[in-house]
Amino acid sequence: MTADPRRLAPREGHMPERDRPRADARAKVTGQATYTTDVRRAGMLHAKVLRSPHAHARIVSVDASRARALPGVHAVLTRDEAAGLAPVGTFVKDWPVIAGDRVRYLGDTVAAVAAVDERTALAALDLVEVEYEPLPAVTDVGAALAEGAVEVFPEPPLGIVPHYGQGASGALRPLPNVPYEFRFTMGDESAWDECDHVFTDEFRFSRMNHMHLEPFVTVAEATDEAIEVWSAAQSPFPLRRDLATVFGLPENRVRVNVPYLGGGFGAKHGIRAESVAVRLSQLAGGRPVRYCMTTEEVFLTSSQHAAVLRYRTGVKADGTFVARSAEVLLDGGAYSDLSPLVAEKAGYRAAGAYRWRYLDSVARAVTTNTVPASAFRGFGGTQATWAGERQVDLIAERLGMRPYELRLRNMKDLGELYAPGETPIDSDLKEGLRIVAEAIGYADRDRSGNRGMGVAVGIKDGGGVNKPAQARVKVTTRGDVLLQCALTEMGQGGHSAMAALVAEVLGCPRERVRYAPIDTDHSPFDQGTNASSGIAVMGSAVTQAALRARDAVLQFAADQLGGVDPAGLTLEDWTVVDAAGERHPLVPWIMHTFGGTGFEFTGEGFFKATNSDLAPLEAPCIFWEVGWAAAEVEVDPDTGKVTLLQLVVSGDAGRVISELGARGQDEGAAVFGLGQALFEEMRFEDGCLLNGEALLYRVPLAEDIPERFTSITQEQGHAAGPFGAKGLAEGTMLPVAPAIAQAIADAVGAQLTELPMTPARVWAALRAREASEAAGAPAAG
Amino acid sequence: MTADPRRLAPREGHMPERDRPRADARAKVTGQATYTTDVRRAGMLHAKVLRSPHAHARIVSVDASRARALPGVHAVLTRDEAAGLAPVGTFVKDWPVIAGDRVRYLGDTVAAVAAVDERTALAALDLVEVEYEPLPAVTDVGAALAEGAVEVFPEPPLGIVPHYGQGASGALRPLPNVPYEFRFTMGDESAWDECDHVFTDEFRFSRMNHMHLEPFVTVAEATDEAIEVWSAAQSPFPLRRDLATVFGLPENRVRVNVPYLGGGFGAKHGIRAESVAVRLSQLAGGRPVRYCMTTEEVFLTSSQHAAVLRYRTGVKADGTFVARSAEVLLDGGAYSDLSPLVAEKAGYRAAGAYRWRYLDSVARAVTTNTVPASAFRGFGGTQATWAGERQVDLIAERLGMRPYELRLRNMKDLGELYAPGETPIDSDLKEGLRIVAEAIGYADRDRSGNRGMGVAVGIKDGGGVNKPAQARVKVTTRGDVLLQCALTEMGQGGHSAMAALVAEVLGCPRERVRYAPIDTDHSPFDQGTNASSGIAVMGSAVTQAALRARDAVLQFAADQLGGVDPAGLTLEDWTVVDAAGERHPLVPWIMHTFGGTGFEFTGEGFFKATNSDLAPLEAPCIFWEVGWAAAEVEVDPDTGKVTLLQLVVSGDAGRVISELGARGQDEGAAVFGLGQALFEEMRFEDGCLLNGEALLYRVPLAEDIPERFTSITQEQGHAAGPFGAKGLAEGTMLPVAPAIAQAIADAVGAQLTELPMTPARVWAALRAREASEAAGAPAAG
């Protein structure tokens, strides 16, 4: 890997903490860091779960009496013991802790056991007798929406529709097997009349697994009156809310502790292993229960949304984009979880990076008898970008234009609105595209030998919907800092970045800043670690908290100096420098004023986007997350095998807070995109997952990374986050697959519309191309 | 016990939470409540300590090699492994974790072992070979101050003197075996010239043990870089500071968690079991180490200060008090711990409840080869009240006046200053004395049958020195509350009282308020739970936090109502009532504004007395803690046995926040005073504690409580705490022994000057009285 020097150039002044390694590096490489999987509680029991072998079946009977009698078993949970628990779901409450009258996918939770060890728990599961009556299953969106399809929920569960602003609306269960439909419209529908060409194309997007190395794992201690969990949870407060809902407790009786996470990528939102462990702990008289899933169980618990996207796009003869209608069908699996939100985002993001006079979209979450789909890095934006960028290439080919120029012609300008009431675009999209094109040598590319290049861009509204975040900084007598905020450390480097912000504001080395353990009883409230929100949302709250703590210190110093103006004072590593440059150590003042135990100065920070009635959702987005990619491939026309020769990715950080962190996000997201482009796919057959284990599920390997792999973290400086920063982590993933697809077309003319672009699919597209050329017209394959 | 109805009369309006049982009652009586002794960590080791069998000796050698070799032993701590650790002490750093070149009392810490269980640890201690060279010991203050006495610290350890205001000063090591001397002067020394009589008397005060039912206990997990303890600690942040000092870490790398405490009474200040457990955990590679002392070890770790008090007092012929010089010698035991602060308080409180034209005092902490003395309920005030109140009785007898009238003649008025710059007296002292005298029937008392009555008063400056306290309230989407503050629950009912304050402000039932676990990483800073400071200091911070949270909620509601004035809104159990009386539930507004996960409203509170240059210490006291007592006794003149017939005690709560809590404090303190009056005494012989176990150390039993035991919690309403409240817990203890002593004199003429007033001492005083009467003059015995 090479690093472009451009990303090292700071915008204003020097931020001393930006070029430091991660704060948790040493603890992690020495094995000192505590993950949930390391949590051990005295007297801890171990849970295992019995899962459905059917994609869809009625449960006739469950007999767990022999399991209960097994020595070492402390609790057995069947639908009887789960009867009083509420099901969960963000808008539609449909996912029960234990399946009730029926199982809805192969892997559904039927019973659970807590025992002295995992082996005993597994032995007990073997003794649970379940009688099923198999039912017909719908295992993809086509089958689920077909006339007369079996209904996964014959009686619709409870649901709510969020509030919307202009242009957007949502509907619960507009069709059988569709729990939620989102619609969005902007502009003037008469724009269609101005189109010289209207193209309709369909794109398919397969289902990835998150492949977080740490499985879903939790340790729960619970009674009927109070719950405490240690959990691998991205978003502690949403988990608290969900557990409070399931178990009918006030939120202040549920305590969520979150150690380090071994990756999340969206999967660790909401309840995963927790409800089973909590209920087992209650049944075991409050003894702690650990439930750590196997990788195979993780595959059966959460996934990305497979999608079918139909884009109808009208353009002028000169290539100007005019109007688009997008229809998106997302395979939500058996339970709705976050599918409604993913549908909203997939629908809302149909415009891509381009200017339209009219746009409408409808996005449906579809229920199937497969593994539930949930949040996944990109969150609907990946699906939308795949379809949108691919259609640009198809249109370019049809119009005889170059994909690169067609993009520049239609791309939104810096500061332009995406939709009425939205945050103006805060990156120069064209500049970014030029940077990656230039870095890969697009203009002078050599297409010989079945080689070709492609460029693409992806944008998503970043930072989450309407997220309030709070943070708190405590500074001890000697100037050491405790930072309290619920941003979880999932590997993304968030804790290092937050500490760097505090250190920058307080004028101290980052080592002085300790991130307090995340604990919902104490941590300031936060809506969750998601949507690349860390730097822009929580970072803003943290920066404000640090500024307020610094102001409190300087005001104290000003008082000690006889009432000078605190604005003339600066703080340098716990020494106050006055306007005349004289240095005043703080410790003696503090001890004199507050007595022998000293004091803690504190500052509170809060951030939330202002709500807007004009916005399609409830607040304009926090920032625009943008990624650009350029790829060079070589395609073997006989086998369809694609060799990635070069990959250039770039994100716009606005302002880099943590250099290695930003680079890690850009490069990590790129590799995710690469996996999606060429390899990754959860393959189902009649609702049965065929490759649901680590050895069978193909992710990018080190050898798949091209030798020429360049990341360029731009610092365009247009963002509103702390020091001009904005989020990374998802943006750079979006354009990778489209850039590679365009490169394949550039190399051999095959236009792929389905992911991943396996040799078989490339080979098929090449054959379709040949057939179509023989028939005299270009075609999508 | 009977309860006077006076204490039920609220001053203004009704506070709905005041007549509720304690919030922790159910958890405690059902055994659900977690104390430190219940804390179990996975892989936890158990510690035991080898203690010195000599009162004073040089350690020639320590050989722990055989202990280290014992299977099951994971760490052995001798002076070698403790070499780098700093000793502790509030002003004088003299108490090492493990004795170095010498042991200084019988019970001093010589070595410690962490093993798989306590039995193995004890077996290992048997294998530690220590060679001692005994040294001469000084085992009381007389011996320690004698010419040529052996010095316990031949080389004085490091110390600091605090800052003082007018009239007060401190000196380190003014004499051999005196680590600290406090001096205080107020008024005009020429007042002595106006005295018609000058009386000098000496009083003796024995050493009590705290007798907290829960021993010193801690669980530590520590590396060289970070420490976490769960500990029975009254004051989490001072413990954090002390551990940071001993182990050379920044305070933000030390985390102190405090579960429920089973009593403290001053003993659980500072490091007790912690440093040994922490170091053993470090030596055991970070494995958790539990160290739970036996009751016998507790007796060898901390105690009250025995004292000799010499009061020289000048009065006019009509009984008007004029001038006093007090000399106080406090037996601090082997290590200074909090002795300097206790000396300050014993010296400062020499004025008692009375008006003086001149007062000076000197109070010396004296080092002896006995168990270290530390904070103890009353904190020097008990010693001062014993001497001061007793001398009033002696003077009354000498002047032929009645003790009751002599008190009223000289007592300070409400609002009068105790000393220049001090907080004005915030109780009507005379009114309180009248209340207890009336309640016991003092005016019409029947002195037949060797019966008699006595009344007394005690006051102390309450709330601690210069204490800053912070608190935080978080209110969830549905109006449930998390209260964050580091006030520990030692049985005093502090958590219930704090929750009641929050409930009162937020207009919700107390059940909605949950006290977040105390954890120095998260809890707002607080200087400690001591000096009866809970209601007045932390209660003020908590009330402010709740008010700010309420204001945030009402401002939010005002915005939702289109910008109405929030002053016109009230909060009633999470519903906002507008000026027109219309009710608006908050949850829908919150969900609409902040999104699906909701929000937490927060408020921060802070309280600290304003520093004052005029005050003898750094800030005027927070409030005056006052107790009154009246006692009726019957004395057997042949045996000296005292039977307590009736006891009336009264404190001034200012305003009662928690009725059962206030009553519990008044009655509990009275029983402490009763134990001190008649029973309790740690008896030493040549530095060896003779009765250092629960069966030998005599505390008041249920049968010792008189049938007629009345507590009257006054609500005088003059205090500045929340809703007019001020602290209880110590005041009512102060006057009990003096009232009983006066009753004994009233019954049989014997004037006791030494505590406890055992039958032997009463008998001796009776004989002295008879001898003195035979010689024609009254005398102190």
Side-chain angles (χ1 to χ4, degrees), chain B residues 127-208:
Chain B
L127 302 176
V128 178
E129 289 157 29
V130 185
E131 188 185 341
Y132 299 98
E133 179 186 301
L135 298 170
V138 288
T139 58
D140 61 33
V141 297
L145 296 176
E147 188 74 29
V150 65
E151 293 200 48
V152 180
F153 287 92
E155 292 170 32
L158 285 176
I160 55 163
V161 173
H163 299 269
Y164 286 105
Q166 184 177 314
S169 64
L172 289 170
R173 201 170 161 85
L175 298 167
N177 290 327
V178 176
Y180 190 76
E181 176 183 278
F182 172 79
R183 286 181 179 273
F184 175 61
T185 307
M186 60 179 170
D188 181 356
E189 198 167 2
S190 67
W192 287 110
D193 302 336
E194 298 165 24
C195 300
D196 298 316
H197 308 280
V198 173
F199 302 108
T200 300
D201 299 289
E202 185 175 290
F203 305 91
R204 289 180 173 264
F205 188 94
S206 67
R207 168 148 43 176
M208 283 172 79

Side-chain angles (χ1 to χ4, degrees), chain A residues 234-457:
Chain A
Q234 286 186 215
S235 298
F237 285 94
L239 175 60
R240 181 181 77 167
R241 174 206 56 194
D242 288 349
L243 288 173
T245 302
V246 169
F247 291 92
L249 287 172
E251 284 183 284
N252 68 343
R253 304 277 163 187
V254 178
R255 185 182 187 188
V256 175
N257 302 279
V258 179
Y260 284 125
L261 272 78
F265 313 116
K268 288 174 177 168
H269 166 96
I271 289 178
R272 295 292 178 258
E274 292 83 4
S275 52
V276 161
V278 166
R279 186 68 186 126
L280 285 170
S281 177
Q282 289 179 330
L283 294 171
R287 275 182 71 163
V289 173
R290 177 178 192 261
Y291 179 33
C292 181
M293 292 194 198
T294 62
T295 301
E296 291 75 12
E297 287 181 286
V298 169
F299 268 98
L300 292 175
T301 302
S302 184
S303 69
Q304 196 184 27
H305 287 80
V308 178
L309 305 102
R310 229 168 268 127
Y311 275 30
R312 180 166 168 263
T313 297
V315 300
K316 294 197 177 176
D318 65 357
T320 304
F321 295 172
V322 180
R324 170 173 282 177
S325 284
E327 184 192 6
V328 182
L329 302 176
L330 294 165
D331 188 342
Y335 298 112
S336 65
D337 199 71
L338 276 171
S339 291
L341 269 180
V342 176
E344 288 182 17
K345 288 303 180 186
Y348 183 60
R349 291 167 179 164
Y354 309 103
R355 194 176 295 126
W356 304 95
R357 293 207 39 231
Y358 176 76
L359 184 131
D360 70 44
S361 66
V362 55
R364 298 188 183 94
V366 180
T367 302
T368 64
N369 293 117
T370 64
V371 174
S374 184
F376 190 101
R377 196 173 197 172
F379 205 88
T382 332
Q383 290 89 337
T385 304
W386 169 244
E389 286 293 279
R390 276 278 65 204
Q391 201 184 29
V392 172
D393 294 342
L394 295 180
I395 292 169
E397 184 175 57
R398 289 162 188 154
L399 298 181
M401 298 180 70
R402 300 213 303 177
Y404 179 72
E405 274 79 30
L406 185 59
R407 280 173 170 75
L408 287 181
R409 167 185 290 268
N410 289 286
M411 215 168 257
K412 281 197 152 72
D413 285 323
L414 175 66
E416 197 169 342
L417 290 186
Y418 180 90
E422 257 295 6
T423 299
I425 301 288
D426 56 1
S427 285
D428 185 331
L429 303 174
K430 296 170 188 168
E431 167 70 7
L433 199 68
R434 282 185 206 109
I435 286 171
V436 295
E438 187 185 315
I440 204 166
Y442 182 79
D444 309 312
R445 69 190 185 281
D446 176 3
R447 297 176 65 203
S448 65
N450 294 314
R451 283 183 296 167
M453 284 187 183
V455 294
V457 61

Side-chain angles (χ1 to χ4, degrees), chain B residues 521-579:
Chain B
D521 271 9
H522 286 107
S523 298
F525 184 83
D526 172 45
Q527 272 214 358
T529 308
N530 54 47
S532 307
S533 60
I535 278 286
V537 176
M538 185 54 86
S540 294
V542 164
T543 303
Q544 187 182 67
L547 285 166
R548 288 185 174 165
R550 188 191 67 182
D551 289 350
V553 172
L554 294 181
Q555 182 61 57
F556 168 76
D559 293 344
Q560 297 294 314
L561 290 167
V564 306
D565 182 359
L569 305 177
T570 53
L571 188 60
E572 285 181 14
D573 206 14
W574 214 233
T575 297
V576 169
V577 184
D578 67 20

